[in-house]
Each structure stands twice: as structure tokens, then as C-alpha cells.
């Protein structure tokens, strides 16, 4: 279909569908549709999702010149006023307002908030933060000038509320606890956040100004990042929480009432500068309090390099107690100072089923040759195993794999350290890895493959997946099917399918006709090898089956293009004792170009010359 016909088809859609489509676009792109044609000129005014974001409307060059910046901001505010004036009775689901230095435009902001309340929006975003802020310490109390009016607290349609750099926010005034699902706060100061009847609470770069912060309610998800709590204390009372994420400095945390089984816990103290031995004890106590000394559990636990470094420094009474964690995620640089922490957590998670090692970007620390008499070359050679390795661990995942020595050593450790249940090892390379580094990582992964006995590997675009070979149990073996006369194999002739083809040939002893229907080529179909299966030599093995020796009369190959794998498998059937074989039919795709067709015909003639009693035909498939 040509582009003009496609354009006509879009133009024929009714306005209600076009509004539905553009409402799914970011507001900046939605506004840009107004230049498409006269019909589209005012259509964007009917979008359901509106976001007046200063940075989307000001060009980067405007920030370099103070006069241009003031003029551009005034033009942006004038545009917002005009848009509100032109909007009549159109419904709005989402309204976002993002303006820095809001003191100049308090009247406009008040009008926009009233407009949002009038439209009974479901999602409201009010962000008045300064782009130059980096931490909460950059925020001056006098810069928080926008107060949330009571009309917003009373808005009964509100489902999501995101606030940034607002003044005197009081969550106790929220009267709509039935529909409100999520609240997000950033660059703000607040007192206790208690009795929240919402599903999700996110707090980023905020400051608690009460003595001993208390965060409580029926939230199912709580995420806190880079916050500052006065008196270095915070208490959590979250009996229904399922996802708990914390990132920031170490404080004195108290967990009064938490869900017995928490689906996901993530702890990241990467921003902390304190590295004394007391930190290890605090972290150990934090884990013990969070998991109630074994009385609670996290299905997935994610920890940071700082925790791995500090945990070994904790005295015995403060070390973490056993946890019923099924999936452990270690964010690590694989620096030797983190190795003992990794061992402690392996010992603390006796029922671990999945271990993910998420490698952080390389740094000078990550390349250190040794630390506290820990030699990274020999540390993982020690024959020390743990209950989870011997009994429960099934999957090992390594993200951002680059083939480094430390990465290779730790993978070898898990493969050989009694991991009897280990079924799968996945090595994921970074998507932006350059060609040379990717070749190096692939070479290292192949070295892993050669050094292991019971694992197979599958190389994908950005991942090497190693799975432990599993022999079928006798009760589940495919039983011979003696009545089947015609077997059709839809295949890409990838090496991973070769054993399956042999297995089926063995289970159809009375086969008279075999059709190999080649699926369209794909990157996987051109893989050079799989689990030590070399497609160049696999079909040269002198292995025959009853059907080949006694019953097979016709071999059909559809979508034949003369490729090496196709030629090898045809030669195998011809020479493998096929005493009854009468015909080999090769059908080329109907849309094969002239050069490829000549190549396929030449390959079929080569096959015919090598045979005496078998007729080989090569034709094009009919177009369906």
C-alpha cells in the first residue's frame, strides 16, 4: 500500500478515534500534530492528557541568556493561558504543571490548579522544582512557595498525585482515600506520613522535619530515595507492604508491623560515605529487624555493594540471621572487599533458587588486585559450599558480563561447587558493548562451555544461556509410533533441533515419506554451533534408523535455497542406508530471486550427479 493511501486511511478515521490516538502521545508531540493539516489544527485541544512542562517548550539555548530565558518563560505562560481559555467542555484525565521559580507565576499556577479541580482530573502532577537541585540540601525552605489548596485534598476523582517542591503538604487532609492509589513526593519537607490508605507511596529527595519519622498505612508499595530524616530515625508500620525499596544514607530504622511475606525488598546505600565497623552492625541489625529474625521473608532481595562490604565487619550478634529468600540480587563491582559479604549472604539464604549478579559499571576500585589478603585470583577456587548451592539453586544470572577475570572466576565457582540442582546460567552482555569487547566476552563464554561437562550453551544477540543437560526420564520417553507413514518437520535447521530430528526418526520405524518444511531464515538459524553440535559435521555421522533402511521412499524439502545445512541433511538421507528411497523433491520458494534460484538449481544438480538410483527434482513452490 502506498503512503498516500495510508494517509487517506488515517484521515478517514473519525475525530473520536484520532483523539484517542493522540492522547497516548506525550503532550509535546500531541501539540506538534496541529501542523499536519487544517483538520488537525485544533484537534490536539481535545486530548485527555495535558502536561505543561516548561523544559519541553523552552529551547536549550534560552537558558544560556537571562533575557531570552525570561521572554521564553513569559511566552510559555501566555501559551498555557491561551490553551486553558480555548478548552471548553473537553474532559481531561491527566494534567501536569511543571514550572521552575514559581514565585513569579503564582496567579497562573493557582488558575491551573483550579482548572484541574474543575475538570475532575484523575492524575495530577504539580512540580515546581529547580533543575539545578541535586540533593535535598540544595533546597532552601524559602523556595517552597506553592501550597496545595484544600480543593485538591477534596478532589474525589483523584487516583494519582505527584508533587514536587510544594509547601506544607499535609497528607492527613486527603479525604479521597477510596480512589487515590498512588502518591509521589519530591523536593519537599513534611512531618509524619501516617495512616495512608493508598497502594503506592514514593518519596524522593525529601526531608522529614519531625522528631522520629513515622511512615505507616496500608500501602502495598513504598519507595524511598535520598531522603534526610531528622534525628536519624525512621519507623515503618506497613502491615500490607509487598514492595519495599530504600536508597540513601543509613539511619536507625524500626519496623513495627510488616507483611509476613514481602514480594520484593531493595536496599541501596551507595550514597553513604560512612565506612566504619559500626555500619556493618547497623546493616546486620537492619536486616534482622526487617525480617524479624527469620519471622518475615522477602521473595526477592536486592542489595548494594556497600552492604556487601560492611556486613562482614558486623560482630556475630549483629550478623544477619537466615532468611527464606528465593531470589537474591547482588549489585556489585566484584571488588575483593565485597567477596566475604557475598559468601555471608549465600549462607544466610539456604532456600535460594535464583541468584542474579548485577555488575555495576567498572571503576578503579573494581580492578583492585587484592584487598585485606583476599586474592581475587584464588578466592573463588576454595572448595566451600553452602546449603543453597547443594540443594536449591536452579538459576544463575550475570548481567553486564564482559568476560573479566573476576566474573569468570565466580561463574566457575557456582558451576563446580556442588550445584546439583543448577539448571540454567545466563550471561548477559551490555547492549552497548563494542565489537572487540563482545568478541572477547563470547570467547570467555565458550571457554566456560568447554570447561563444563553437564551444561549446554545457547548464544543469543546479547546473552549466552547455559543449561544443564537433562536426559529424559524413561517413563516420559516417546514411544514408537508404528502407524505413522508421513512425518512433516517444520524447522529452521538450527543445530539445537538436530537431536530432535534424530529422536523422531528413531520413533517412526515405518515412515514412508518425510517432509522438511524450512521456515524463513533467522539469525538463530545461522548459528555456527550449539551445545557442541557442529552443523558442518553432525550429519556426517554414520548413524542409521529402521525407517531409513527399510521403508522411507520419498524425501521432500520445501523452501529449498541450497544452503549448507539443507545440503548436508539431504546428503545424510541419501547415503544413510536408504535402500528404498526413490525420490528427492526439492521445492524452492516461489519468490526466490533469479540468482538464488540459479544457485539452488546448481546445488540440486550436484546432488543428482552424486546419485545413481534416486531421482532428484527441483521446482518452485506454487504461490498460495
Amino acid at each position: 500500500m502506498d503512503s498516500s493511501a495510508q494517509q487517506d486511511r488515517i484521515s478517514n478515521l473519525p475525530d473520536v478515534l484520532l483523539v484517542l490516538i493522540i492522547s497516548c502521545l506525550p503532550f509535546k508531540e500531541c501539540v506538534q500534530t496541529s501542523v499536519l493539516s487544517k483538520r488537525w489544527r485544533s484537534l490536539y485541544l481535545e486530548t485527555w492528557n495535558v502536561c505543561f512542562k516548561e523544559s519541553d517548550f523552552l529551547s536549550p539555548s534560552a537558558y544560556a541568556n537571562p533575557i531570552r530565558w525570561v521572554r521564553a518563560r513569559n511566552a510559555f505562560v501566555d501559551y498555557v493561558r491561551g490553551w486553558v481559555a480555548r478548552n471548553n467542555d473537553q474532559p481531561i484525565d491527566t494534567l501536569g504543571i511543571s514550572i521552575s521559580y514559581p514565585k513569579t507565576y503564582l496567579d497562573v499556577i493557582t488558575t491551573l490548579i483550579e482548572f484541574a479541580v474543575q475538570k475532575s482530573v484523575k492524575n495530577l502532577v504539580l512540580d515546581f522544582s529547580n533543575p539545578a537541585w541535586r540533593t535535598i540540601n540544595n533546597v532552601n525552605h524559602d523556595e517552597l512557595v506553592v501550597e496545595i489548596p484544600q480543593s485538591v485534598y477534596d478532589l474525589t476523582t483523584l487516583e494519582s498525585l505527584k508533587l514536587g517542591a510544594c509547601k506544607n503538604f499535609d497528607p492527613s487532609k486527603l479525604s479521597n482515600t477510596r480512589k487515590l492509589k498512588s502518591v509521589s513526593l519530591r523536593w519537599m519537607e513534611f512531618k509524619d506520613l501516617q495512616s495512608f490508605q493508598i497502594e503506592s507511596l514514593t518519596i524522593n529527595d525529601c526531608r522529614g522535619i519531625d522528631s522520629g519519622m513515622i511512615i505507616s498505612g496500608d500501602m502495598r508499595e513504598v519507595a524511598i530515595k535520598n531522603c534526610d530524616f531528622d534525628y536519624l530515625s525512621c519507623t515503618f508500620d506497613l502491615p500490607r507492604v509487598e514492595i519495599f525499596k530504600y536508597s540513601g544514607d543509613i539511619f536507625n530504622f524500626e519496623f513495627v508491623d510488616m507483611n509476613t511475606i514481602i514480594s520484593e525488598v531493595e536496599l541501596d546505600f551507595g550514597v553513604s560515605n560512612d565506612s566504619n565497623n559500626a555500619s556493618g552492625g547497623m546493616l546486620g541489625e537492619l536486616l534482622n529487624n526487617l525480617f524479624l529474625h527469620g519471622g518475615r521473608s522477602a521473595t526477592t532481595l536486592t542489595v548494594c555493594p556497600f552492604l556487601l562490604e560492611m556486613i562482614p565487619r558486623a560482630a556475630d550478634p549483629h550478623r544477619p540471621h537466615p532468611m527464606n529468600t528465593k531470589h537474591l540480587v547482588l549489585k556489585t563491582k566484584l571488588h575483593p572487599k565485597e567477596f566475604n559479604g557475598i559468601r555471608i549472604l549465600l549462607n544466610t539464604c539456604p532456600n535460594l533458587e535464583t541468584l542474579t549478579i548485577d555488575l555495576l559499571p567498572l571503576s578503579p576500585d573494581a580492578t583492585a588486585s587484592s584487598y585485606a589478603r583476599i586474592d581475587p585470583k584464588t578466592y573463588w577456587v576454595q572448595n566451600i559450599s553452602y546449603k543453597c548451592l547443594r540443594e536449591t539453586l536452579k538459576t544463575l544470572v550475570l548481567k553486564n558480563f564482559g568476560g573479566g577475570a573476576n566474573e569468570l572466576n565466580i561463574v566457575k565457582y557456582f558451576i563446580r561447587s556442588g550445584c546439583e540442582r543448577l539448571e540454567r546460567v545466563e550471561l548477559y552482555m551490555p547492549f552497548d558493548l563494542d565489537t572487540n569487547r563482545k568478541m572477547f566476552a563470547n570467547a570467555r563464554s565458550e571457554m566456560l562451555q568447554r570447561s563444563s561437562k553437564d551444561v549446554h550453551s545457547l548464544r543469543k544477540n546479547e546473552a549466552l544461556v547455559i543449561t544443564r543437560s537433562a536426559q529424559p526420564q524413561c517413563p516420559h520417553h516417546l514411544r514408537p509410533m508404528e502407524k505413522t507413514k508421513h512425518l512433516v518437520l517444520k524447522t529452521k535447521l538450527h543445530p539445537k533441533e538436530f537431536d530432535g530430528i534424530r529422536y523422531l526418526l528413531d520413533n517412526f520405524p515405518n515412515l514412508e515419506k518425510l517432509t522438511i518444511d524450512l521456515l524463513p531464515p533467522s539469525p538463530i538459524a545461522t548459528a555456527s554451533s550449539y551445545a557442541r553440535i557442529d552443523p558442518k559435521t553432525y550429519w556426517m555421522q554414520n548413524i542409521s534408523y529402521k525407517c531409513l533402511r527399510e521403508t522411507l521412499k520419498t524425501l521432500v524439502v520445501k523452501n529449498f535455497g541450497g544452503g549448507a545445512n539443507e545440503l548436508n541433511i539431504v546428503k545424510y538421507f541419501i547415503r544413510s542406508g536408504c535402500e528404498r528411497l526413490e525420490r528427492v523433491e526439492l521445492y524452492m520458494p516461489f519468490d526466490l530471486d533469479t540468482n538464488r534460484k540459479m544457485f539452488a538449481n546448481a546445488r540440486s544438480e550436484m546432488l543428482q550427479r552424486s546419485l545413481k538410483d534416486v531421482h532428484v527434482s527441483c521446482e518452485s513452490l506454487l504461490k498460495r
Side-chain angles (χ1 to χ4, degrees):
M1 182 179 292
D2 58 25
S3 59
S4 60
Q6 185 69 23
Q7 185 177 7
D8 289 339
R9 174 175 290 186
I10 295 176
S11 300
N12 289 333
L13 293 175
D15 285 358
V16 64
L17 288 182
L18 293 179
V19 170
L20 181 63
I21 293 172
I22 64 175
S23 294
C24 298
L25 297 173
F27 184 65
K28 181 179 179 180
E29 297 178 10
C30 178
V31 173
Q32 291 172 345
T33 62
S34 62
V35 302
L36 295 178
S37 68
K38 290 183 178 179
R39 182 188 177 192
W40 290 80
R41 186 171 298 171
S42 59
L43 200 62
Y44 77 96
L45 293 172
E46 301 180 31
T47 181
W48 301 342
N49 300 317
V50 180
C51 182
F52 298 121
K53 192 173 183 180
E54 178 185 311
S55 59
D56 283 347
F57 286 80
L58 270 65
S59 64
S61 60
Y63 291 93
N65 187 310
I67 297 177
R68 290 186 61 189
W69 176 69
V70 171
R71 290 176 178 173
R73 275 165 54 90
N74 290 336
F76 165 66
V77 170
D78 289 341
Y79 170 81
V80 172
R81 286 195 181 104
W83 192 95
V84 172
R86 289 193 300 271
N87 186 284
N88 298 318
D89 298 326
Q90 303 301 330
I92 296 178
D93 283 347
T94 300
L95 179 64
I97 306 167
S98 179
I99 302 176
S100 61
Y101 303 98
K103 185 179 291 188
T104 310
Y105 302 110
L106 285 178
D107 57 334
V108 178
I109 292 171
T110 300
T111 301
L112 287 173
I113 294 176
E114 292 174 353
F115 176 75
V117 173
Q118 177 189 351
K119 291 295 183 179
S120 299
V121 297
K122 297 179 180 178
N123 309 299
L124 180 61
V125 181
L126 303 176
D127 183 7
F128 309 107
S129 60
N130 188 330
W133 292 344
R134 292 295 176 264
T135 71
I136 187 61
N137 296 324
N138 299 137
V139 181
N140 191 307
H141 180 77
D142 296 335
E143 296 180 87
L144 306 180
V145 297
V146 179
E147 291 197 44
I148 306 301
Q150 186 62 41
S151 57
V152 172
Y153 292 113
D154 295 336
L155 188 57
T156 57
T157 58
L158 204 58
E159 297 179 2
S160 173
L161 178 62
K162 295 184 178 181
L163 303 178
C166 294
K167 181 181 180 182
N168 297 334
F169 172 67
D170 186 356
S172 64
K173 293 182 179 180
L174 287 169
S175 57
N176 175 32
T177 58
R178 185 172 59 89
K179 285 190 176 180
L180 187 60
K181 296 180 180 179
S182 67
V183 173
S184 177
L185 310 176
R186 191 174 189 190
W187 305 117
M188 294 170 60
E189 297 177 341
F190 53 81
K191 297 184 178 181
D192 288 345
L193 298 175
Q194 297 191 49
S195 303
F196 255 168
Q197 305 298 317
I198 58 176
E199 292 187 4
S200 175
L201 173 64
T202 302
I203 310 173
N204 291 343
D205 301 291
C206 290
R207 179 184 292 117
I209 57 176
D210 206 355
S211 58
M213 277 294 303
I214 299 177
I215 298 177
S216 66
D218 290 336
M219 290 84 77
R220 296 184 180 275
E221 180 175 355
V222 175
I224 302 172
K225 183 177 182 181
N226 298 341
C227 292
D228 184 14
F229 299 124
D230 282 358
Y231 299 94
L232 303 179
S233 170
C234 186
T235 300
F236 297 96
D237 186 1
L238 306 168
R240 300 180 61 190
V241 69
E242 295 179 357
I243 299 175
F244 180 80
K245 298 181 179 181
Y246 178 83
S247 175
D249 290 333
I250 304 176
F251 294 106
N252 181 24
F253 293 138
E254 293 292 336
F255 301 94
V256 177
D257 187 9
M258 302 287 282
N259 204 349
T260 304
I261 301 177
I262 307 175
S263 298
E264 182 179 350
V265 172
E266 181 173 342
L267 302 172
D268 185 357
F269 305 102
V271 298
S272 180
N273 295 319
D274 187 9
S275 59
N276 54 42
N277 292 341
S279 299
M282 290 180 66
L283 290 173
E285 282 299 309
L286 187 153
L287 290 176
N288 290 333
N289 290 334
L290 176 59
F291 298 120
L292 198 61
H293 299 273
R296 302 189 193 105
S297 65
T299 304
T300 299
L301 173 62
T302 302
V303 299
C304 64
F306 185 78
L307 188 144
L308 295 175
E309 177 187 351
M310 290 293 107
I311 280 293
R313 303 188 186 186
D316 288 339
H318 304 292
R319 289 211 172 180
H321 294 189
M323 300 177 288
N324 191 27
T325 295
K326 304 295 184 183
H327 182 192
L328 179 62
V329 181
L330 305 176
K331 292 188 174 182
T332 172
K333 298 176 182 178
L334 283 186
H335 188 282
K337 65 184 178 182
E338 302 164 3
F339 288 177
N340 286 335
I342 294 175
R343 283 198 182 276
I344 289 175
L345 288 183
L346 289 176
N347 189 43
T348 305
C349 300
N351 300 316
L352 198 64
E353 296 180 358
T354 301
L355 175 63
T356 297
I357 299 176
D358 189 356
L359 296 173
L360 300 182
L362 296 177
S363 68
D365 282 348
T367 59
S369 58
S370 63
Y371 170 81
R373 299 181 181 178
I374 295 176
D375 186 349
K377 298 178 181 178
T378 60
Y379 185 87
W380 297 109
V381 179
Q382 303 175 56
N383 189 22
I384 302 175
S385 187
Y386 301 95
K387 184 176 183 292
C388 64
L389 304 187
R390 295 188 301 268
E391 300 181 9
T392 60
L393 188 65
K394 297 180 181 178
T395 304
L396 173 65
V397 179
L398 197 67
K399 294 183 178 180
N400 297 311
F401 177 76
N406 284 2
E407 307 163 30
L408 213 62
N409 290 338
I410 198 169
V411 173
K412 287 180 179 178
Y413 166 76
F414 285 107
I415 290 178
R416 70 169 177 267
S417 293
C419 293
E420 300 176 3
R421 299 294 183 96
L422 189 63
E423 299 173 355
R424 193 173 180 84
V425 177
E426 300 175 7
L427 309 178
Y428 292 92
M429 296 180 287
F431 70 91
D432 55 350
L433 204 64
D434 62 65
T435 304
N436 291 334
R437 291 294 302 173
K438 189 172 291 188
M439 291 175 61
F440 178 76
N442 279 328
R444 288 301 187 103
S445 65
E446 290 175 359
M447 184 175 69
L448 274 177
Q449 175 64 61
R450 290 192 298 269
S451 65
S452 53
K453 298 178 180 179
D454 301 327
V455 293
H456 295 313
S457 63
L458 168 62
R459 183 169 294 104
K460 297 182 180 179
N461 289 338
E462 294 169 3
L464 167 75
V465 180
I466 304 175
T467 56
R468 185 175 295 275
S469 56
Q471 297 298 331
Q473 299 297 320
C474 292
H476 305 295
H477 274 183
L478 187 64
R479 297 181 179 178
M481 289 174 275
E482 299 180 353
K483 294 184 179 181
T484 299
K485 305 296 183 182
H486 183 193
L487 176 62
V488 180
L489 304 176
K490 291 191 174 183
T491 172
K492 296 179 181 178
L493 283 186
H494 188 281
K496 66 182 179 181
E497 303 165 357
F498 289 176
D499 284 343
I501 295 174
R502 284 196 183 276
Y503 192 63
L504 290 179
L505 291 174
D506 190 34
N507 283 276
F508 293 94
N510 299 319
L511 201 62
E512 295 181 358
K513 184 176 181 179
L514 174 64
T515 297
I516 300 176
D517 189 356
L518 297 173
L519 299 182
S522 70
I524 292 181
T526 59
S528 59
S529 63
Y530 168 80
R532 303 179 184 176
I533 295 176
D534 186 352
K536 297 178 181 178
T537 60
Y538 185 86
W539 296 108
M540 296 175 63
Q541 302 175 58
N542 188 23
I543 302 175
S544 187
Y545 301 96
K546 184 176 183 294
C547 65
L548 304 187
R549 295 188 301 270
E550 300 180 7
T551 61
L552 189 65
K553 298 180 180 179
T554 304
L555 173 65
V556 178
V557 181
K558 294 183 178 181
N559 297 310
F560 177 77
N565 282 4
E566 307 164 29
L567 213 62
N568 290 338
I569 198 170
V570 172
K571 288 180 178 179
Y572 166 76
F573 285 108
I574 290 175
R575 69 169 176 268
S576 294
C578 294
E579 301 176 3
R580 300 294 184 98
L581 189 63
E582 299 173 357
R583 290 184 62 83
V584 176
E585 302 175 6
L586 309 178
Y587 292 94
M588 298 177 290
F590 71 89
D591 56 351
L592 204 63
D593 62 64
T594 305
N595 291 334
R596 291 295 300 172
K597 190 174 292 186
M598 292 175 60
F599 178 77
N601 279 322
R603 288 300 186 103
S604 66
E605 291 176 1
M606 182 180 68
L607 279 174
Q608 181 64 76
R609 288 195 298 269
S610 65
L611 299 174
K612 299 179 181 179
D613 303 323
V614 181
H615 176 69
V616 178
S617 64
C618 187
E619 304 173 7
S620 294
L621 286 169
L622 295 177
K623 183 176 180 180
R624 295 181 179 179

